[in-house]
């Protein structure tokens, strides 16, 4: 995994919760943990005490545990980040999943049709098309659950009400 990509990802997931971006020590802690360094080594490169680095690291891992809704510690940070990077789904004009170990962008099409061009957008959607989209969303719920997403995450990704997602089995 590319460290710069990981740091950007962690910053993106933590900043909404903390209201701040990662500071230099937090960045060094993540890099250090991923490189299997001890807190004393990380502290030495940053210029602080090992105790301070350990305290900041502990708080950082606790924040990640809250955000990812799973226990995160020095021993599993790499696997948790890899899993979370693989699950990060960004919905925009195209639905994409970013895989951390690859430069490839894979597409998840949540619609049964090819994206429309500007001339097609002016036409009102027909009920058959809407029915197909709903069926695809229903099928996507099961697939996203298999990937480990929570009902809240699935509702956000698919643009559905949480109650609707919870009713789908």
């Amino acid at each position: 995994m590319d460290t710069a990509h990981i740091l950007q990802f962690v910053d993106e997931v933590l900043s909404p919760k903390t209201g701040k971006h990662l500071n230099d020590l937090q960045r060094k802690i993540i890099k250090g943990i991923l490189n299997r360094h001890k807190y004393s080594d990380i502290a030495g490169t940053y210029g602080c005490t090992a105790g301070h680095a350990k305290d900041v690291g502990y708080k950082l891992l606790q924040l990640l545990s809250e955000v990812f809704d799973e226990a995160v510690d020095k021993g599993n940070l790499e696997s948790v980040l890899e899993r979370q990077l693989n699950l990060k789904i960004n919905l925009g004009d195209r639905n994409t999943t970013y895989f951390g170990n690859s430069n490839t962008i894979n597409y998840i099409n949540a619609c049964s049709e090819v994206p429309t061009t500007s001339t097609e957008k002016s036409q009102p959607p027909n009920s058959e098309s809407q029915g197909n989209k709903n069926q695809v969303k229903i099928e996507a719920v099961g697939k996203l659950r298999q990937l480990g997403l929570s009902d809240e995450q699935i509702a956000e990704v698919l643009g559905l009400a949480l109650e609707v997602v919870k009713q789908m089995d």
Side-chain angles (χ1 to χ4, degrees):
M1 290 190 292
D2 175 30
T3 306
H5 183 72
I6 292 169
L7 291 172
Q8 179 183 355
F9 172 70
V10 172
D11 191 57
E12 287 174 3
V13 297
L14 288 184
S15 61
K17 181 159 185 70
T18 64
K20 301 176 192 174
H21 292 283
L22 291 174
N23 63 37
D24 290 344
L25 178 56
Q26 291 170 322
R27 297 172 76 78
K28 287 193 184 294
I29 288 170
I30 292 169
K31 286 182 194 178
I33 291 173
L34 294 175
N35 289 316
R36 311 250 188 295
H37 294 159
K38 296 179 180 182
Y39 282 119
S40 58
D41 297 331
I42 297 168
T45 63
Y46 184 73
C48 67
T49 66
H52 180 64
K54 191 172 184 176
D55 290 343
V56 172
Y58 176 80
K59 289 177 186 174
L60 180 60
L61 294 172
Q62 292 303 307
L63 279 170
L64 289 170
S65 295
E66 290 175 30
V67 169
F68 296 143
D69 197 30
E70 65 177 294
V72 180
D73 57 36
K74 279 181 72 174
N76 71 357
L77 176 65
E78 184 174 7
S79 62
V80 169
L81 288 175
E82 186 173 319
R83 186 170 43 260
Q84 292 296 327
L85 275 164
N86 287 338
L87 293 177
K88 180 182 180 202
I89 298 176
N90 178 10
L91 294 177
D93 287 339
R94 290 195 171 97
N95 303 320
T96 59
T97 300
Y98 299 94
F99 289 88
N101 292 332
S102 170
N103 291 329
T104 306
I105 297 177
N106 297 302
Y107 293 95
I108 298 174
N109 186 353
C111 302
S112 61
E113 57 204 37
V114 176
T116 59
T117 61
S118 59
T119 57
E120 293 172 331
K121 286 182 181 177
S122 61
Q123 299 174 355
N126 61 35
S127 60
E128 181 181 329
S129 167
Q130 191 63 33
N132 288 341
K133 286 181 184 178
N134 289 338
Q135 181 61 36
V136 170
K137 286 183 179 183
I138 290 168
E139 292 170 5
V141 169
K143 291 177 183 176
L144 293 172
R145 280 185 178 143
Q146 288 175 347
L147 289 172
L149 270 66
S150 68
D151 286 349
E152 291 81 7
Q153 292 168 321
I154 294 170
E156 182 179 334
V157 166
L158 296 178
L160 298 171
L162 179 59
E163 295 75 27
V164 172
V165 173
K166 286 184 177 184
Q167 291 176 355
M168 293 183 197
D169 288 325

